[in-house]
Amino acid sequence: LAIFVYQDGWLSFLRLSQLGRRTGGAMSWMSPCISCSVIIGLGLDYDIFYSESIVEKKHGGCSDSEAAVRALKETANTISAAGLIMAIAFSSLLFSSTPTLNEIAFLLIIGVLIDCFVTTKIIIPAAMAVLDGWNFWPRNFDDSTSSSSPMQIEQSSDGRMA
């Protein structure tokens, strides 16, 4: 998408120099490198937040599909708000006079929005439904683990932690 914007000039009709065709003809080699590492970090943050909520639902006795839907219902607004805040923050770089910063900002905005609204809301829940039963392999969520958390500390009858 960035190639179409910065090398082919797809958004030149907006008459914004920050989103126009590059006079040199090519994007900076640093833009994808920097943007990729930031997007992976942010994407993992959102996805871990969602995945941990799924695990909580699984411990509550839900099936994989049901856990994915309930976790999405709980985390969707938070993930959406965080993604929009990050996109707004990165959009400030679009107003820079440095072309490389414009490219990085564009890639970060597109990446965050795709991760928050496509990957976390559509692709991951769909994969959870398709892989039902295999999502947490080799971890086993049997009936004995659904009633207690694996991190729960047992307390002996005399009040000391066991």
Side-chain angles (χ1 to χ4, degrees):
L1 191 56
I3 299 293
F4 292 127
V5 171
Y6 291 109
Q7 290 182 342
D8 295 339
W10 276 21
L11 295 179
S12 294
F13 68 91
L14 295 174
R15 302 212 189 276
L16 293 171
S17 62
Q18 293 88 353
L19 294 174
R21 180 185 293 232
R22 294 288 174 243
T23 55
M27 287 180 55
S28 170
W29 63 271
M30 289 187 300
S31 300
C33 296
I34 293 170
S35 301
C36 184
S37 59
V38 173
I39 291 298
I40 288 172
L42 288 173
L44 285 175
D45 185 41
Y46 300 143
D47 296 340
I48 288 171
F49 179 61
Y50 173 60
S51 298
E52 284 301 314
S53 184
I54 293 172
V55 170
E56 289 175 7
K57 302 298 177 222
K58 285 288 293 177
H59 279 294
C62 296
S63 69
D64 286 4
S65 299
E66 185 180 358
V69 169
R70 287 185 180 190
L72 184 61
K73 185 178 178 182
E74 279 185 8
T75 62
N77 291 339
T78 304
I79 292 172
S80 298
L84 288 174
I85 289 169
M86 292 307 296
I88 291 168
F90 293 142
S91 67
S92 65
L93 291 174
L94 276 177
F95 299 110
S96 171
S97 60
T98 307
T100 303
L101 287 179
N102 300 138
E103 296 167 3
I104 291 170
F106 181 78
L107 290 168
L108 291 175
I109 292 166
I110 297 299
V112 163
L113 294 177
I114 287 172
D115 183 57
C116 286
F117 295 105
V118 177
T119 305
T120 307
K121 306 258 181 358
I122 298 170
I123 295 174
I124 293 175
M128 296 285 291
V130 169
L131 297 172
D132 197 31
W134 290 93
N135 290 315
F136 298 100
W137 183 85
R139 190 175 188 177
N140 187 10
F141 290 97
D142 57 3
D143 293 332
S144 63
T145 60
S146 64
S147 61
S148 64
S149 172
M151 298 299 288
Q152 185 176 4
I153 300 173
E154 295 180 19
Q155 190 172 11
S156 63
S157 60
D158 63 352
R160 292 184 301 165
M161 299 294 170

